[in-house]
Amino acid sequence: MLYLPTIVEAAESSPVAARECAQELRKFLTNSKENASRPHVQYNATMLVRILADNPGKTFTRNIDKKFVETVKDLLRTGQDPSVNQILMETLASFEKEKKNDENLAPLIQMWEKEQGKMVKAYGPNVSSQPSCSLSYNS
């Protein structure tokens, strides 16, 4: 994540850059053949979504649209890499617990609440527990 500070600074400085970040991250989260064969790309994109939801926060999350939510839902349902599945579920559980006040994340949280039962069946009861990692950005 060599460019993380640069990405975060760009998303903070410009609403246009924050929108571009959201669009690019959605592409990396797509469960295409190319991305599925490079799970580290999906993992890193998920981490960046989580970090940008904190900082710059609503400047970034206002760009999480229906297409973004559908992409995350598809990755949640069809993702093949266990580490990607874990970080994605931890991120969604974190949003559910810590980001209810961000109305921009409401569609993502609602999708997670609907999908959570399926994930519990697939991965066990710890899916809805507190995430095991905490990600933050410090400048």
Side-chain angles (χ1 to χ4, degrees):
M1 304 300 275
L2 179 63
Y3 303 107
L4 181 59
T6 306
I7 292 167
V8 173
E9 287 171 13
E12 285 178 322
S13 67
S14 163
V16 174
R19 184 179 71 237
E20 289 295 320
C21 285
Q23 290 172 352
E24 287 300 311
L25 289 171
R26 181 183 51 76
K27 291 175 188 175
F28 290 130
L29 292 170
T30 303
N31 205 23
S32 65
K33 256 186 190 176
E34 182 182 351
N35 288 341
S37 66
R38 300 178 315 154
H40 66 280
V41 170
Q42 293 173 323
Y43 187 96
N44 290 345
T46 302
M47 285 179 44
L48 274 171
V49 168
R50 191 166 174 179
I51 291 167
L52 293 172
D54 284 335
N55 187 15
K58 291 184 180 187
T59 302
F60 172 75
T61 62
R62 77 173 57 126
N63 300 295
I64 294 180
D65 58 10
K66 183 177 181 178
K67 199 170 184 179
F68 192 98
V69 173
E70 288 300 316
T71 298
V72 171
K73 181 178 177 179
D74 181 61
L75 181 58
L76 191 60
R77 288 181 171 183
T78 62
Q80 299 297 310
D81 187 82
S83 64
V84 172
N85 293 344
Q86 180 180 353
I87 192 74
L88 185 58
M89 288 185 289
E90 287 178 355
T91 297
L92 293 169
S94 172
F95 287 170
E96 180 184 32
K97 288 180 174 77
E98 300 169 13
K99 298 285 185 189
K100 287 232 185 225
N101 62 338
D102 186 338
E103 65 278 356
N104 300 315
L105 288 174
L108 195 59
I109 292 169
Q110 290 168 355
M111 177 278 297
W112 169 241
E113 289 172 343
K114 291 176 185 173
E115 293 295 312
Q116 205 167 353
K118 296 173 189 171
M119 298 301 109
V120 168
K121 286 181 183 176
Y123 299 103
N126 290 334
V127 165
S128 60
S129 66
Q130 182 66 24
S132 63
C133 66
S134 176
L135 301 175
S136 63
Y137 167 77
N138 297 316
S139 42

